[in-house]
């Protein structure tokens, strides 16, 4: 938090300055300096969650597997949406959403939960929500492995060109998720019931994002007809989910398994458009992340009186 | 910057909420209510600590000692002022270290070590020392939630002292654990001192400050009311602990004709340096001339009798009216402390008390040396 390290050249010991307010460059420098702590916090989070065993890891996959199964059953079997390879479509969007939701859910109460630590040890406090995001990323990587297994099993090839764009999309997803996590963790210190509000908000947010239904079935085409297409992408999750779907589902127009009619699943943008939009999103996400750090800095000054 | 710790003009103000509105619902329903009050826990504190120094911090409960240490560690941000600290720092703030109870002792050592800013590789190197110091080898892979509070503190302390920090900050943790472990910790702190490390020590025990500290600071309601020599600071601390010393003769009781009026000293104070001589006068009034025996008693604040003079050795002849009896203590063999003085007059046979006065004066003895206890034995030790 309120520390600042000035390197005094080779061999000199560092000087820590504790004062009322810490500027953004110093915050970033501190985060970088304490990256080993971040790594340790993530690994201890993962360890606690999976109890350090392979079985625990398997166990933790139960919840996402269950959601995937339910949505598949409801939308493909009962409601007969006719999307071919619906599991792949669903999984490639759900994986994005799972990362966001896991990270935000855990982070929201992380500072309150770790009050004992916050009151006893000095470290940049934003490391706590960042570690929760990190643990969610580890979990996400495991799900990615499962997704790849699905692709292999179903003989479903991804779009290899789009795959190169994925690091950019992931960086945007990470920064945006971290920004929300950081701000929510600090707000919860002041407003404890924000956690419940967030749960409701996340539900709404999920159904507004084109995860279980396709882009063509969303409100986006309607908005587009009125020249308001941009509004749909105010929700950064929309573009991220679409990019993942475009990469792994790898089809924009498919044939319905029911009617045999063509189904428009995803926007028919060129790879170039995807690249431009994702790079733009990454820049926005980076700015939002920095803003989140500034907001956190303003809020952390009174943590000790609220915890 | 030459100092290891430099605290410049640091103030800390807490916001105290009288009605806490920690939910969205309450904030919406009562947008303007919820009184908050500002509480100044630290008031413009400045001091420096150099390498090799141990500074004791004394003060009542709530005087701001822990707040000051937390600011130095960076756990709290000062409201104004700046603290500069050079090199690495390990802190033991109150109980425990914020361990993750779900993790094993081993994992917590690594996590806590990196939290203090040390690298994993470095902790690998000193891990065995930490475990050996903590004496919980058998439980190092057990989850911390199964530890006793003593084990918990031992492990936290073992990490803090074995990472070999440039600055060690200790807040009243030396009071926990069994005596043997305490002695081991104090030993380690002394080793630190020899290595030229800086130590900031909060303890309730004047004893520990005296034996460990080279300087002391006294806090009172967030203000620094003393800073300097350990003996002087301890004396100021005690003055404030006691409030004003009891007025002379206030609790005097008398038996009839003889009465102890007051006790005065030529200098007006009852402050004595250990080993120095001290003189005071006891003013006794009597309705008629009477012979008697003078008795002097010294008690500690806990009521332990330190010494009672032999009545037969000090016969006095009181005039009608006021008689002054001079008492000379050639050299006080007492160590640091506060002692209540009782005086009395017995009848010549020593069987009846003519007059008795409790706590007519309070002797404040200051001692600069490192001996501790009640009396100075001044042993001379020879190796044969
Ligand atoms: N987080 C906090 N919020 C509000 N008041 C606090 C907080 N921490 C300490 N205080 C107040 O500040 C004063 C000093 O506390 P502290 O530094 O713990 O005293 P000490 O360690 O000398 O006993 C106390 O009156 C305490 O109530
Ligand atoms: Mg305290």
């Amino acid at each position: 938090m309120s520390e600042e390290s000035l390197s005094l050249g080779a061999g000199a010991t560092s000087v820590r300055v504790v004062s009322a307010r810490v500027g953004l460059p110093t915050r970033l420098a501190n985060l970088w300096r304490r990256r080993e702590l971040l790594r340790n916090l993530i690994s201890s989070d993962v360890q606690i969650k999976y109890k350090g065993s392979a079985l625990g890891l398997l166990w933790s996959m139960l919840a996402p597997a269950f959601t995937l199964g339910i949505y598949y059953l409801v939308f493909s079997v009962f409601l007969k949406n006719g999307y071919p390879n619906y599991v792949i479509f669903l999984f490639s969007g759900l994986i994005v959403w799972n990362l966001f939701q896991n990270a935000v859910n855990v982070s929201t109460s992380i500072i309150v939960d770790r009050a004992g630590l916050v009151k006893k040890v000095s470290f940049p406090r934003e490391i706590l929500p960042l570690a929760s995001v990190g643990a969610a990323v580890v979990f996400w990587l495991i799900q990615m492995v499962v997704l790849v297994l699905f692709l292999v099993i179903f003989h479903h090839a991804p779009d290899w060109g789009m795959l190169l764009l994925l690091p950019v999309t992931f960086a945007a997803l990470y920064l945006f998720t971290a920004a929300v996590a950081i701000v929510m963790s600090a707000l919860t210190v002041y407003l404890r019931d924000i956690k419940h509000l967030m749960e409701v908000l996340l539900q709404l947010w999920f159904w507004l994002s084109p995860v279980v239904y396709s882009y063509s079935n969303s409100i986006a085409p309607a908005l587009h007809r009125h020249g308001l297409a941009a509004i749909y992408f105010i929700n950064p999750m929309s573009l991220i989910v679409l990019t993942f779907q475009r990469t792994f589902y790898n089809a924009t127009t498919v044939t319905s398994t029911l009617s045999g009619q063509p189904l428009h699943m995803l926007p028919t943008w060129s790879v170039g458009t995807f690249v431009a939009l994702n790079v733009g999103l990454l820049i926005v996400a980076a700015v939002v992340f920095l803003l989140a750090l500034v907001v956190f800095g303003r809020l952390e000054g009174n943590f000790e009186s609220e915890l | 910057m030459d100092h290891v710790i430099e605290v410049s003009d640091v103030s800390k103000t807490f916001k105290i909420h009288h009605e806490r509105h920690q939910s969205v619902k309450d904030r919406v329903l009562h947008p303007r209510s919820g009184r908050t009050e500002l509480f100044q826990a630290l008031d413009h504190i400045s001091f420096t600590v150099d390498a090799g120094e141990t500074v004791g911090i004394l003060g009542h409960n709530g005087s701001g000692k822990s707040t000051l240490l937390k600011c130095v560690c960076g756990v709290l941000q000062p409201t104004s002022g700046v603290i500069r600290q050079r090199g690495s720092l390990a802190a033991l703030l109150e109980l425990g270290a914020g361990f993750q109870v779900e993790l094993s002792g081993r994992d917590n050592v690594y996590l806590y070590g990196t939290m203090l800013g040390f690298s994993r590789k470095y902790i690998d190197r000193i891990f065995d020392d930490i475990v050996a110091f903590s004496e919980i080898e058998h439980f190092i892979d057990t989850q911390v939630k199964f530890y006793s509070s003593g084990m918990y503190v031992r492990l936290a302390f073992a990490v803090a002292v074995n990472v070999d920090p440039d600055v060690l900050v200790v807040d009243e943790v030396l009071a926990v654990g069994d005596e043997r472990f305490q002695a081991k910790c104090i030993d380690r702190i002394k080793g630190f001192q020899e290595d030229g490390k800086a130590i900031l020590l909060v303890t309730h025990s004047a004893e520990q400050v005296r034996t460990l500290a080279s300087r002391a600071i006294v806090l009172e309601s967030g203000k620094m009311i003393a800073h300097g020599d350990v003996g002087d600071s301890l004396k100021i601390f005690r003055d404030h602990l006691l409030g004003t010393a009891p007025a002379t003769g206030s609790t005097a009781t008398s038996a009839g004709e003889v009465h102890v009026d007051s006790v005065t000293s030529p200098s007006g104070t009852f402050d004595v340096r250990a080993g120095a001589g001290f003189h005071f006068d006891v003013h006794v009034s009597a309705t008629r001339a009477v012979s008697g025996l003078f008795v002097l008693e010294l008690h500690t604040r806990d009521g332990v009798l330190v010494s009672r003079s032999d009545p037969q050795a000090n016969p006095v002849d009181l005039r009608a009216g006021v008689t002054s009896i001079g008492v000379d203590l050639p050299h006080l063999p007492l160590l640091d402390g506060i002692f209540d003085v009782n005086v009395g007059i017995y009848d010549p046979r020593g069987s009846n008390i003519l007059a008795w006065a409790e706590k007519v004066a309070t002797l404040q003895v200051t001692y600069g040396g490192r001996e501790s206890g009640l009396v100075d034995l001044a042993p001379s030790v020879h190796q044969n």
Side-chain angles (χ1 to χ4, degrees):
Chain A
M1 57 182 283
S2 50
E3 42 179 85
E4 170 180 336
S5 181
L6 308 170
S7 182
L8 298 179
T13 44
S14 64
V15 176
R16 212 164 45 89
V17 178
V18 185
S19 62
R21 195 146 274 173
V22 184
L24 186 58
T26 317
R27 298 198 90 83
L28 288 170
N30 284 338
L31 281 176
W32 177 247
R33 198 164 52 85
R34 302 306 296 273
R35 60 193 179 279
E36 187 161 7
L37 172 60
L38 180 59
R39 200 159 57 229
N40 275 1
L41 279 172
I42 293 172
S43 79
S44 67
D45 266 13
V46 171
Q47 232 173 49
I48 291 171
K49 197 162 176 188
Y50 306 134
K51 304 274 183 293
S53 73
L55 202 69
L57 212 141
L58 215 65
W59 198 241
S60 69
M61 291 299 291
L62 213 62
F66 192 70
T67 338
L68 190 68
I70 289 279
Y71 288 148
Y72 178 78
L73 212 64
V74 170
F75 292 96
S76 195
V77 178
F78 297 148
L79 294 178
K80 303 194 170 39
N81 60 11
Y83 297 180
N85 287 316
Y86 183 57
V87 173
I88 304 279
F89 176 84
L90 193 56
F91 201 2
S92 43
L94 210 51
I95 207 170
V96 171
W97 184 261
N98 282 349
L99 169 61
F100 180 70
Q101 180 172 336
N102 267 348
V104 172
N105 265 344
V106 178
S107 304
T108 298
S109 56
I110 193 75
I111 299 220
V112 176
D113 291 346
R114 296 287 186 82
L117 198 61
V118 170
K119 290 201 277 192
K120 285 206 177 82
V121 190
S122 160
F123 58 91
R125 274 71 176 97
E126 55 270 42
I127 276 194
L128 287 177
L130 284 175
S132 305
V133 178
V137 168
V138 171
F139 191 45
W140 177 84
L141 285 171
I142 300 166
Q143 294 182 59
M144 279 300 279
V145 171
V146 177
L147 177 59
V148 169
L149 283 177
F150 273 39
L151 293 177
V152 172
I153 292 167
F154 291 104
H155 299 295
H156 195 103
D159 185 322
W160 300 104
M162 285 291 291
L163 217 48
L164 294 174
L165 178 61
L166 223 54
V168 174
T169 315
F170 176 75
L173 172 62
Y174 177 82
L175 287 173
F176 180 68
T177 305
V180 175
I182 286 171
V183 170
M184 293 314 295
S185 70
L187 278 181
T188 308
V189 174
Y190 297 90
L191 302 166
R192 298 294 164 92
D193 57 354
I194 227 170
K195 202 175 150 183
H196 307 297
L197 281 178
M198 202 58 200
E199 276 164 19
V200 176
L201 195 69
L202 280 172
Q203 285 273 335
L204 189 69
W205 199 334
F206 174 70
W207 291 106
L208 280 174
S209 308
V211 177
V212 292
Y213 52 86
S214 72
Y215 174 75
S216 316
N217 286 343
S218 72
I219 53 166
L223 286 170
H224 188 75
R225 278 194 294 280
H226 294 89
L228 298 170
I231 287 182
Y232 192 68
F233 293 96
I234 286 175
N235 170 11
M237 297 308 284
S238 299
L239 180 63
I240 298 170
V241 165
L242 287 176
T243 306
F244 270 73
Q245 288 170 339
R246 177 71 186 73
T247 305
F248 294 106
Y249 192 56
N250 192 12
T252 50
T253 308
V254 293
T255 314
S256 169
T257 53
L258 290 173
S259 58
Q261 298 293 311
L263 277 177
H264 300 288
M265 297 292 289
L266 297 170
T268 51
W269 303 331
S270 67
V271 172
T273 309
F274 268 108
V275 171
L277 286 174
N278 273 285
V279 169
L281 183 65
L282 178 58
I283 293 166
V284 171
V287 172
V288 170
F289 176 76
L290 294 180
L291 280 176
L293 285 179
V294 172
V295 169
F296 190 92
R298 289 290 157 96
L299 293 176
E300 76 172 347
N302 275 316
F303 278 180
E304 71 268 5
S305 299
E306 305 280 338
L307 286 173
Chain B
M1 190 180 85
D2 300 310
H3 308 295
V4 177
I5 304 172
E6 193 182 318
V7 176
S8 355
D9 207 25
V10 164
S11 297
K12 176 72 193 177
T13 308
F14 287 115
K15 272 189 192 141
I16 313 248
H17 300 285
H18 289 286
E19 293 156 68
R20 288 176 86 84
H21 289 322
Q22 277 198 326
S23 70
V24 175
K25 191 193 87 198
D26 286 347
R27 293 256 164 121
V28 170
L29 292 180
H30 317 276
R32 287 270 157 250
S33 75
R35 276 185 310 128
T36 51
E37 198 178 279
L38 295 179
F39 175 80
Q40 186 144 27
L42 291 177
D43 193 355
H44 299 281
I45 306 289
S46 300
F47 64 94
T48 57
V49 183
D50 291 328
E53 277 193 303
T54 301
V55 177
I57 300 177
L58 295 158
H60 298 290
N61 273 337
S63 58
K65 305 181 297 291
S66 300
T67 306
L68 178 59
L69 287 198
K70 283 177 185 165
C71 286
V72 169
C73 301
V75 173
L76 288 184
Q77 294 167 295
T79 312
S80 67
V82 179
I83 296 166
R84 280 171 225 282
Q85 181 253 314
R86 199 170 50 173
S88 59
L89 175 143
L92 282 163
L93 300 175
E94 294 155 306
L95 249 182
F99 283 158
Q100 277 269 71
V101 292
E102 295 290 331
L103 293 174
S104 69
R106 179 186 301 274
D107 294 333
N108 268 300
V109 166
Y110 280 96
L111 192 57
Y112 186 46
T114 34
M115 241 161 210
L116 295 175
F118 297 91
S119 73
R120 243 191 131 76
K121 231 182 284 162
Y122 179 71
I123 298 162
D124 275 336
R125 274 217 311 278
I126 57 168
F127 186 80
D128 292 338
D129 296 338
I130 292 174
V131 177
F133 191 91
S134 68
E135 302 172 9
I136 53 170
E137 288 92 342
H138 296 303
F139 303 98
I140 195 67
D141 288 308
T142 307
Q143 282 182 329
V144 166
K145 65 179 164 197
F146 299 116
Y147 281 21
S148 69
S149 64
M151 288 161 74
Y152 191 103
V153 175
R154 288 210 306 258
L155 188 60
F157 196 87
V159 176
V161 297
N162 280 289
V163 290
D164 200 28
D166 297 314
V167 178
L168 180 68
V169 170
V170 180
D171 192 354
E172 309 209 24
V173 286
L174 292 177
V176 286
D178 56 279
E179 268 176 43
R180 199 187 45 78
F181 189 76
Q182 261 181 51
K184 194 160 129 181
C185 294
I186 288 173
D187 250 24
R188 185 55 72 101
I189 287 181
K190 285 180 177 156
F192 265 45
Q193 293 175 322
E194 280 157 22
D195 295 344
K197 304 299 174 66
I199 301 170
L200 217 48
L201 180 75
V202 169
T203 160
H204 253 87
S205 149
E207 175 90 19
Q208 278 174 357
V209 171
R210 206 177 309 116
T211 51
L212 294 171
S214 45
R215 255 192 306 142
I217 286 170
V218 182
L219 292 182
E220 169 82 34
S221 314
K223 293 191 181 62
M224 192 160 77
I225 57 166
H227 177 197
D229 177 67
V230 171
D232 294 344
S233 294
L234 278 172
K235 182 181 158 326
I236 291 170
F237 173 52
R238 274 197 312 254
D239 281 349
H240 281 257
L241 195 67
L242 299 172
T244 49
T248 46
S250 60
T251 52
T253 52
S254 86
E257 315 140 326
V258 184
H259 181 253
V260 178
D261 292 336
S262 62
V263 174
T264 57
S265 82
S267 65
T269 73
F270 288 86
D271 300 349
V272 203
R273 288 224 149 247
F278 189 65
H279 176 91
F280 62 90
D281 295 300
V282 182
H283 307 283
V284 184
S285 59
T287 48
R288 58 183 175 88
V290 62
S291 305
L293 306 170
F294 180 83
V295 188
L296 170 73
E297 265 185 17
L298 224 56
H299 286 266
T300 66
R301 273 284 138 126
D302 311 330
V304 175
L305 176 64
V306 178
S307 174
R308 177 187 292 128
S309 63
D310 173 15
Q312 304 296 342
N314 303 306
V316 285
D317 287 308
L318 303 175
R319 294 181 293 268
V322 177
T323 309
S324 282
I325 301 164
V327 179
D328 259 311
L329 301 169
H331 65 92
L332 277 172
L334 297 172
L335 296 182
D336 219 281
I338 304 174
F339 301 91
D340 289 320
V341 176
N342 302 341
V343 295
I345 310 284
Y346 288 4
D347 69 8
R349 280 180 297 138
S351 50
N352 285 313
I353 297 171
L354 299 180
W356 187 254
E358 291 263 344
K359 298 186 184 172
V360 282
T362 306
L363 273 188
Q364 297 248 17
V365 184
T366 38
Y367 176 65
R370 292 188 176 276
E371 268 187 326
S372 53
L374 280 180
V375 298
D376 184 5
L377 290 179
S380 65
V381 180
H382 315 276
Q383 190 159 3
N384 297 316

